[in-house]
Structure formats: C-alpha cells, structure tokens
C-alpha cells in the first residue's frame, strides 16, 4: 500500500515537470527591431529593409516578431525625443533580441535613447562614421560593410572602352561620402592606364547637369551618390541618378544597384537588397545562438556583382563576351516561350501526374500510403492554380479578398495599419481595338511585371478584373502608400511596352488609394473608398494618383456649390 502511494506521488511530480517544460509554457522568442532612418519611398534604405525582412522570414523569424519602423529622422522640425518616447511605448511588452539600423541617423538614435534595454546587440548598415570592429556603447554594435567596389567598376570601364581617356565623376559636396571619393582617388592612382578624372563636388546642381550634357566623345561618366551641391541644396540621390541618365550622351556607369536605370550602361554594383538579406540572415543566426557577436561574423560577405543593361549594350555595340565574368544582363527581351514555359511545363506536369495517379489506382500496384501522398501533392498544385490569375501570374480576386480579410483582422487585433491601391490601365480598350487582344494580354503581363519589380516583397498584387489590379500594402499609412503608388505610376509611364515588331505602346495607369481606419470592421467601405478615389483619378484626366481625402474634398466642394445655388437661385457657373 505504501509503495503504491509513493508511486502515485512520483508520477504526479513527473507530470508537473513535463507541464512546466512543455512548449505551451515556453517563453515567447525574442524579436528583431528594424529601424529605417527615412520615410517610405527612399530606394536604398527600402531595398535594405525589404532584404532584411525577407531573409528573417526565410530563416524562421515570423512577421509577428519583426518590428519595422520608418522613422523619418531627417524631416525638418522632427521632434526626436517625442518620437523616441512613442516608439518605446509601442514596443512595451515586446522582447527585442536584436536591432538592425539602416543609415547613420537610425544608429545614432537607438544608441542615444532607451528604446529597448541596454545591451541588446545591434547590426548597422550604411553607417559611415561607425568604426571598424565591435563598438561597445549602449548597444554593442557591428557595421556590415557596404563600400562599393569602385576599382572593379573602373577596370570594367577601361576594358569596355580602352580608347577613352576622360572620366566625369558625378558626386556632391556632402561629406558623408568622403570615403567613396577617397576610394575613387586611390583606385585611379593604381590603374595602369588611368583616366583624366573631373569631379563635380565643386559645382552647383545646374552646372553639374550642364557638364553631363556636354561631355566630349572620348569621355565616360561615373555616378556616385549625390546628396547636396556646393550651395547646400539637398537632393534624393536616386532622383539625381534618373536626371543624369536622361541627359547623358556618353556611357554612364554606377556603383549601386538602386541607380541601375535603363539609361545606365552598368557597373560592378553594390546589391543593396543583399545587404539587407545578409543582415537578416546574420540576425536570425544570432537569435538562435549559432554565431558569436564579434567581428568574425562579418567575414566573407560578398555584396557586389557586375550588372549591365541589354539596351545600352546594344547602343554602345558591346557583346556579352566583353563583359566581366558572371555579369548579370538586365532587360534582356524574352520570347513567349521563355515567359510562359513554366506555366506550360507545370500544366503538363500536373496532367502527367494525374494520368500516373489513374494508372496507379487502376493497377492497384502501390500501397495506399504512397497514393495518398501523391494526391496531397496534386491538391497543393491545383490549389495554387485556383488562387492564381492564369495570364499574369498574380493572385486572383478570390484569393485577394481572403488575404484582405486576414489583414483586416490583424489590423483590428494589433492596431497595425495598411493601405489599398486600386489600379486601372488607362484607355485599355483602345489598345485592344488598335493592336488586338493578344497585344492587350501582353500589356497586362507587362504592367504586372512592373508592379512586382517596383513594390516591396511584403506587398501583395492581384488582378481583380480585366485591366484592373488591387495592391495591398501592409504596415503602410496612406501618405506612404501614395508615395509608393506615385513611384509605380512614373515607372509604368517611363517604360512603354515594346511589341515584337519593335513598335512601342505607351501605357499609363490611374490609381486610387484608401488607408485602413479603426472603424472599418469589414472590407467593403475600404474597397469603396479606393474605388471612389480611382474614379476621381479617371475624371481628372487619368494618369494620376488620388486618395480618399481628395475624394472627400471634391464631395464637400460639390455640396457647397449646391448650397450656394439653392440660396441664390442662380447656378454657380453664372
């Protein structure tokens, strides 16, 4: 009897230990705080942010544990202490195991203010003043190297154009990129056949553009980040790169992939999205305790790659054989087979698997478990086809509505925000009537490809009607969504569709934006606001972006006009 009683006590103690050690009682894993110094829409920080988030999720860090903040620290009049207090309150109760900062202001911000507990390790990118190696401040920190490979780019320029002797280097007067200019000077001195180089850091912006426009035939142009001119005027480097590429009459090279516009020939470019991916990968390994937090963490990172534009290679009569080994060719035209071969091969594979399943079931030569496994695999493939638009490869309307329901529930639960963008191709019926429905289908695929290329990895694009698309932008307020939509609109307008016979078809789009509101308990009001804003964009002449505030302003103006007409008895137009 005593032995039985002791046995029961031991079993209860074992059960209590198992309960304490079970996953249900385990602590919630720590998350990653990603701090971007800039507002949404600045290409290089956005590329790094998207790369970091993508790598974190691929390595098992759920989106609910990734806290991305666009701080807009460079905005004039920004109340930095208030922003720090607001961010600290927002993160209260969330365990942060590692911080990623993007550009120097975000690094200085987190080191100065107690946003998260001291001692949390920090990975910094594009932080020029960060010393090499491990720095022990409020947060011990390492800076991921991001120096462009200027020497390799100069070597490519000399290899492709051995007869040219002049080099115009587009760079501003801002001291943040003095290391880039120093690396350029050192690389020039080490060349066996150096260029006669001219820098634009002592010119005003208009003077610099005039120098670009008037370069002689024996010159090459190298674009370096341009933040401000000699007078102190500030610029967005990506916008300056676009302006330079539109004016350059001589071969134009760059050292960052964010500046690889279609007017740029190429260069050995720093892949800014890969900086983020490397940081996300290292962060996931650090959270799991797989790597030590010391300078050895950064060994062996390869972030540069030779890239060239197909159209510019043809313009300057260059061949693939002349390019550096491993070069990536951007914008190379693809045949219809190349564009659709995976769809055709996938459909053929599905049919073959279905036929094989029938043979296996008829012959009853396989065990039941193998047959069930095959059926599950086929169902997954069919489910993918059900949720995908067959023409563009985007999600279809049905699947997008399901995603919207999930995002709406998430916003209501956690207070996060998101925005919708309704996009419609302008005068699409004229394209079909003039060029045929086959060309119209290819224009749809062209717009879909530009959407995927321009938007963030986390953004969702669906084709919900004939020429109508719906964009879901998570963690994005209405102002940020408008900036993203305007950038997409400009890119679509600048990149017309080229037919097989070489004829170009200009394409423009109209877009309507609606941001989520706390009172939106279902998606119908949100969709209606986006649709109304799109309708307003169409009424105002197409090829524009409108939001719900403009729609409200128009309605208010109409109501005021009607009231005045009622009071005076005369139409307002009189």
């Amino acid at each position: 009897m005593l032995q039985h009683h002791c046995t029961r006590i031991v079993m209860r103690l074992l059960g209590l230990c198992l309960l304490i050690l079970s996953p249900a009682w385990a602590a919630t894993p720590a998350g990653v705080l990603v701090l971007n110094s800039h507002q949404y829409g600045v290409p290089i920080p956005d590329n790094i942010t998207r790369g970091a988030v993508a790598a974190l999720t691929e390595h098992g860090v759920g989106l609910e544990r990734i806290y991305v903040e666009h701080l807009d620290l460079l905005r004039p009049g920004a109340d930095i202490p208030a922003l720090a207090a607001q961010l600290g309150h927002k993160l209260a109760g969330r365990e942060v195991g590692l911080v990623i900062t993007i550009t120097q202001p975000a690094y200085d911000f987190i080191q100065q203010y107690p946003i998260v507990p001291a001692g949390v390790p920090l990975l910094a990118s594009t932080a020029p003043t960060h010393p090499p190696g491990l720095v022990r401040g409020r947060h011990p920190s390492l800076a991921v190297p991001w120096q462009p490979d200027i020497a390799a780019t100069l070597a490519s320029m000399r290899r492709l154009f051995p007869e040219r002797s002049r080099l115009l280097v587009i760079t501003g007067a801002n001291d943040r990129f003095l290391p880039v200019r120093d690396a350029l000077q050192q690389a020039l001195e080490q060349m066996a056949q150096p260029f006669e180089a001219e820098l634009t850091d002592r010119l005003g912006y208009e003077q610099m553009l005039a120098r670009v426009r008037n370069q002689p035939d024996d010159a090459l142009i190298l674009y370096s980040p341009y933040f401000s001119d000699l007078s102190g005027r500030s610029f967005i480097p990506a916008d300056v790169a676009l302006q330079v590429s539109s004016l350059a009459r001589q071969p134009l090279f760059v050292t960052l992939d964010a500046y690889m516009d279609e007017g740029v020939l190429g260069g050995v470019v720093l892949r800014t999205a890969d900086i983020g991916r490397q940081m996300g990968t290292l962060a996931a390994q650090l959270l799991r305790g797989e790597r030590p937090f010391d300078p050895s963490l950064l060994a062996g990172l390869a972030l540069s790659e030779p890239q060239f534009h197909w159209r510019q290679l043809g313009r300057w009569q260059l061949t693939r054989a002349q390019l550096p080994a491993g070069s990536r060719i951007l914008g190379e035209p693809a045949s219809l087979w190349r564009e659709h071969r995976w769809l055709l091969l996938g459909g053929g594979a599905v049919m073959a698997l279905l036929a094989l399943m029938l043979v296996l079931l008829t012959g009853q030569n396989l065990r039941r478990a193998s047959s069930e496994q095959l059926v599950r695999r086929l169902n997954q493939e069919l489910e993918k086809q059900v949720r995908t638009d067959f023409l563009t490869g985007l999600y279809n309307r049905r699947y997008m509505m399901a995603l919207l329901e999930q995002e709406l529930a998430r916003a209501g639960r956690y207070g996060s925000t998101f925005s919708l963008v309704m996009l419609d191709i302008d005068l699409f019926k004229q394209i079909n009537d003039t060029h045929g429905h086959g060309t119209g289908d290819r224009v749809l695929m062209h717009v879909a490809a530009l959407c995927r290329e321009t938007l963030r990895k986390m953004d969702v694009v669906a084709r919900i009607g004939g020429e109508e698309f719906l964009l879901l932008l998570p963690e994005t307020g209405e102002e940020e969504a408008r900036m993203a939509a305007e950038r997409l609109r400009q890119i679509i307008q600048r990149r017309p569709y080229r037919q097989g016979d070489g004829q170009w078809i200009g394409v423009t789009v109209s877009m309507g934006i609606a941001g989520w509101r706390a009172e939106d308990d279902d998606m119908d009001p949100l969709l209606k606001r986006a649709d109304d804003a799109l309708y307003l964009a169409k009424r105002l002449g197409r090829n524009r972006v409108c939001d719900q505030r403009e729609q409200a302003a128009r309605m208010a103006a109409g109501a005021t006009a009607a009231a005045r007409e009622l009071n005076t008895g005369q139409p307002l137009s009189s």
Side-chain angles (χ1 to χ4, degrees):
M1 188 73 172
L2 179 61
Q3 181 181 3
H4 178 69
H5 183 66
C6 291
T7 302
R8 291 178 60 188
I9 293 175
V10 171
M11 294 300 294
R12 288 181 179 179
L13 288 174
L14 287 174
L16 180 60
C17 291
L18 290 173
L19 182 63
I20 293 174
L21 297 175
S22 66
W25 285 72
T28 302
V32 178
L33 174 61
V34 182
L35 294 180
N36 188 333
S37 302
H38 305 269
Q39 61 183 350
Y40 178 86
V42 181
I44 292 177
D46 281 1
N47 285 350
I48 299 174
T49 301
R50 284 195 294 268
V53 172
L56 285 167
T57 56
E58 289 170 7
H59 287 81
V61 182
L63 287 174
E64 72 280 358
R65 294 166 51 204
I66 305 173
Y67 316 120
V68 179
E69 296 292 338
H70 291 265
L71 300 175
D72 199 11
L73 294 173
L74 303 181
R75 175 172 53 86
D79 190 344
I80 305 301
L83 178 61
Q86 180 183 5
L87 183 56
H89 177 74
K90 184 176 182 179
L91 294 173
R94 300 181 180 180
E95 183 181 357
V96 176
L98 189 136
V99 178
I100 293 175
T101 62
I102 299 168
T103 73
Q104 188 74 42
Y107 176 83
D108 297 337
F109 174 79
I110 194 68
Q111 290 285 25
Q112 180 179 359
Y113 294 98
I115 309 299
V116 295
V120 174
L122 185 153
L123 288 174
S125 74
T126 57
T129 64
H130 191 290
L134 180 65
V135 173
R136 300 191 179 278
R138 170 183 286 276
H139 302 285
S141 61
L142 290 168
V144 174
W146 61 276
Q147 184 75 19
D149 195 345
I150 296 177
T153 296
L154 290 175
S156 297
M157 298 169 74
R158 173 55 70 208
R159 177 179 179 179
L160 296 176
F161 299 95
E163 75 286 354
R164 302 205 177 204
S165 59
R166 298 175 184 272
L167 175 64
L168 179 68
V169 182
I170 309 300
T171 183
N174 191 285
D175 290 339
R176 279 188 291 175
F177 280 83
L178 280 176
V180 176
R181 293 202 288 272
D182 293 342
L184 171 67
Q185 188 63 40
Q186 182 178 1
L188 286 170
E189 292 173 355
Q190 294 176 352
M191 293 183 69
Q193 185 184 354
F195 293 103
E196 180 184 338
E198 174 191 359
L199 276 66
T200 63
D201 56 334
R202 296 301 176 186
L203 298 178
Y205 183 68
E206 287 74 17
Q207 292 175 310
M208 179 271 290
L209 295 180
R211 294 293 295 138
V212 170
R213 190 184 299 110
N214 297 318
Q215 282 302 292
D217 292 340
D218 64 340
L220 300 171
I221 304 176
L222 176 62
Y223 179 79
S224 180
Y226 192 103
F227 283 87
S228 61
D229 66 1
L230 194 60
S231 68
R233 291 168 58 194
S234 296
F235 300 89
I236 297 176
D239 292 343
V240 179
L242 284 174
Q243 182 72 5
V244 168
S245 70
S246 68
L247 296 176
R249 296 188 299 171
Q250 304 304 333
L252 174 62
F253 290 79
V254 297
T255 57
L256 293 171
D257 63 354
Y259 306 143
M260 281 292 292
D261 182 70
E262 287 189 351
V264 175
L265 173 55
V268 181
V269 300
L270 189 65
R271 298 172 297 185
T272 51
D274 279 0
I275 296 176
R277 294 189 67 86
Q278 294 282 8
M279 295 181 75
T281 300
L282 295 177
Q285 294 171 344
L286 288 169
L287 286 180
R288 293 195 297 264
E290 298 174 357
R291 302 284 297 275
F293 192 76
D294 59 37
S296 67
L297 188 72
L298 307 177
L301 299 184
L303 301 173
S304 293
E305 175 186 64
Q307 295 183 6
F308 296 88
H309 267 294
W310 174 266
R311 186 180 301 174
Q312 293 296 321
L313 291 174
R315 175 185 177 185
W316 300 107
Q317 299 180 353
L318 300 172
T319 66
R320 191 187 298 267
Q322 296 174 268
L323 302 180
S327 293
R328 180 182 303 207
I329 309 299
L330 307 179
E332 185 173 2
S335 64
L336 287 177
W337 162 250
R338 186 178 300 171
E339 290 179 355
H340 300 290
R341 66 183 183 276
W342 294 116
L343 181 61
L344 296 174
L345 292 174
V350 170
M351 296 302 297
L353 288 172
L354 286 172
L356 177 60
M357 186 184 70
L358 290 174
V359 171
L360 294 174
L361 291 176
T362 303
Q364 295 183 352
N365 293 326
L366 292 179
R367 297 172 57 186
R368 180 171 182 151
S370 299
S371 299
E372 290 177 350
Q373 184 180 6
L374 178 61
V375 171
R376 283 196 298 270
R377 189 162 63 248
L378 291 172
N379 286 338
Q380 291 173 356
E381 182 67 27
L382 292 173
E383 181 182 352
K384 179 180 178 181
Q385 293 186 7
V386 166
R387 68 190 187 193
T388 304
D389 175 57
F390 74 96
L391 179 64
T392 62
L394 301 175
Y395 290 132
N396 57 25
R397 181 185 187 90
R398 176 183 177 185
Y399 189 66
M400 181 57 131
M401 293 303 108
L403 291 178
L404 278 180
E405 292 286 2
Q406 296 176 11
E407 190 67 24
L408 194 67
R410 180 171 172 270
R413 186 179 302 114
Y414 299 110
S416 57
T417 189
F418 67 94
S419 295
L420 296 183
V421 180
M422 198 79 74
L423 181 151
D424 188 86
I425 300 177
D426 296 329
L427 303 174
F428 184 71
K429 185 176 183 300
Q430 291 186 12
I431 295 176
N432 277 335
D433 292 344
T434 304
H435 303 281
H437 288 275
T439 298
D441 288 345
R442 288 187 284 276
V443 168
L444 288 171
M445 291 186 285
H446 172 71
V447 172
L450 291 179
C451 289
R452 281 192 296 259
E453 175 185 325
T454 305
L455 296 175
R456 303 173 299 178
K457 189 95 172 180
M458 68 177 69
D459 298 332
V460 183
V461 188
R463 181 187 175 204
I464 61 173
E467 66 270 24
E468 194 169 30
F469 300 78
L470 183 60
L471 284 55
L472 168 60
L473 310 182
E475 299 294 340
T476 304
E478 191 171 316
E479 287 299 324
E480 295 174 330
R482 185 182 182 100
M483 294 174 61
E486 179 61 28
R487 174 174 170 78
L488 175 60
R489 183 196 67 78
Q490 293 179 13
I491 288 175
I492 292 174
Q493 183 181 11
R494 290 199 304 263
R495 295 173 64 175
Y497 170 70
R498 184 181 186 182
Q499 299 190 84
D501 59 2
Q503 181 180 358
W504 295 91
I505 299 177
V507 182
T508 64
V509 297
S510 300
M511 287 185 265
I513 299 171
W516 174 77
R517 299 172 178 172
E519 62 268 20
D520 290 334
D521 53 1
D522 62 57
M523 60 185 175
D524 289 341
L526 188 60
L527 288 168
K528 185 178 186 306
R529 292 198 302 273
D531 194 56
D532 289 344
L534 171 61
Y535 178 69
L536 176 61
K538 291 287 189 181
R539 286 176 50 202
L540 293 178
R542 304 183 180 90
N543 190 23
R544 66 187 62 231
V545 178
C546 289
D547 56 32
Q548 53 202 35
R549 291 178 302 177
E550 294 173 272
Q551 175 70 7
R554 287 271 168 176
M555 294 176 62
T560 302
R564 292 178 58 185
E565 181 177 341
L566 181 64
N567 291 334
T568 61
Q570 295 294 329
L572 185 62
S573 59
S574 63

